[in-house]
Amino acid sequence: MDGALRETRISAAFVAVADTLVKDFDAVDLLHTLVSDCVDILGFKAGGLLLVDGAGDLQLMTSTSEAAEFVEVMQLAADSGPCIECFTSGVAVSVSDIELEESRWPDFRRVALAQGIRSALATPMRLRGKVIGTMNLFGSDAVVVSARDAAVAQALADVATIGLLQERVIREGQLIEEQLHRALDSRVMIEQAKGVIAHALTLSMDDAFAMLRRYSRGRNLTIRAVAESVSGRELKAQDIANAVENAVTR
């Protein structure tokens, strides 16, 4: 990606988050878009975003691919890896060559290398000193992340945090935990709907999510609202597929 295009993409990502401060937004869609943009802008292979739940444990919110999701889940299961270290310390953790981290995170190293992942950057999501999650980027090559790229990732993580929690909601006295709980509930609902669509249409989970997202955007609905309709059997997977296909052919 050349310099001019890169700067344009960065600006567009910031504008997308700024819009959420003045209107209602779909948290899952926002965070997925931000992680995807960050992967593309900084040249990583995949990415994922973790949020802390009411019990203080990290839960997967969104990921750009099933490979990234698998690595994230294994990190949580093993309770080790750059994402866990980033969340605990509150500072970014950059790993230039995962293959060299056998003694530091043996389980994470094994799973990551099996998925073709050689480098990682974990960036904290912070609000007023409180870490509420981490944004995690994975590379297919062993490479040192530049200070500039790390700063871009941190800036995007910071604005994503603001967009998710919305300062005006905090000023009105609502608890941060309530916002996070709703976001995580949305993730569970969406995962269920993805499974229904993937099974009914013989699609991958990635393609099922893309279809769910296109359908919700085409009808100006939140992904959660559409997912609830799918899970509640009010909306059929084939109807979503037909609507998406018709929208493309118009």
Side-chain angles (χ1 to χ4, degrees):
M1 184 181 298
D2 62 46
L5 178 57
R6 174 189 166 102
E7 294 305 318
T8 299
R9 291 292 303 277
I10 292 174
S11 297
F14 279 106
V15 169
V17 178
D19 284 345
T20 68
L21 300 178
V22 295
K23 64 181 181 181
D24 291 336
F25 72 102
D26 188 329
V28 175
D29 194 18
L30 166 72
L31 297 177
H32 183 82
T33 298
L34 275 170
V35 174
S36 298
D37 283 348
C38 220
V39 167
D40 291 341
I41 291 168
L42 302 182
F44 282 87
K45 176 182 180 180
L49 192 145
L50 304 172
L51 289 180
V52 66
D53 62 16
D57 299 320
L58 285 174
Q59 302 291 342
L60 181 65
M61 183 66 183
T62 188
S63 64
T64 61
S65 74
E66 295 301 311
E69 182 168 343
F70 182 58
V71 173
E72 296 278 10
V73 170
M74 289 304 297
Q75 282 193 83
L76 297 178
D79 196 29
S80 67
C83 306
I84 301 298
E85 186 171 309
C86 172
F87 176 71
T88 303
S89 66
V91 298
V93 175
S94 178
V95 185
S96 60
D97 191 349
I98 291 172
E99 191 168 6
L100 302 179
E101 302 295 341
E102 184 171 8
S103 61
R104 190 177 183 185
W105 306 306
D107 294 330
F108 166 71
R109 173 184 176 276
R110 173 178 53 81
V111 175
L113 292 177
Q115 294 294 321
I117 293 171
R118 287 289 302 275
S119 57
L121 174 65
T123 305
M125 298 181 67
R126 300 175 301 214
L127 180 68
R128 298 170 186 168
K130 181 172 183 177
V131 182
I132 64 167
T134 63
M135 181 173 69
N136 316 289
L137 307 173
F138 303 110
S140 55
D141 299 316
V143 61
V144 176
V145 177
S146 69
R148 186 172 183 275
D149 283 355
V152 170
Q154 185 63 69
L156 286 172
D158 288 344
V159 292
T161 304
I162 295 172
L164 175 63
L165 300 178
Q166 298 186 87
E167 288 186 323
R168 68 176 183 271
V169 175
I170 298 172
R171 288 197 298 269
E172 290 169 1
Q174 296 187 26
L175 298 177
I176 290 176
E177 285 76 11
E178 292 178 359
Q179 295 296 97
L180 296 177
H181 181 69
R182 176 171 176 77
L184 290 168
D185 279 350
S186 294
R187 169 69 181 184
V188 172
M189 184 68 66
I190 290 167
E191 284 298 309
Q192 293 174 348
K194 281 167 55 179
V196 171
I197 295 171
H199 177 74
L201 303 178
T202 317
L203 298 174
S204 69
M205 293 293 277
D206 286 344
D207 289 340
F209 179 71
M211 181 173 291
L212 187 66
R213 193 179 181 206
R214 285 197 295 269
Y215 182 89
S216 64
R217 286 188 165 187
R219 281 159 175 70
N220 199 28
L221 297 170
T222 65
I223 298 178
R224 179 190 172 110
V226 177
E228 287 178 340
S229 296
V230 173
S231 297
R233 300 180 184 276
E234 300 169 8
L235 180 61
K236 295 181 179 179
Q238 190 59 56
D239 292 337
I240 293 177
N242 292 341
V244 170
E245 182 177 356
N246 290 335
V248 172
T249 56
R250 285 178 186 173

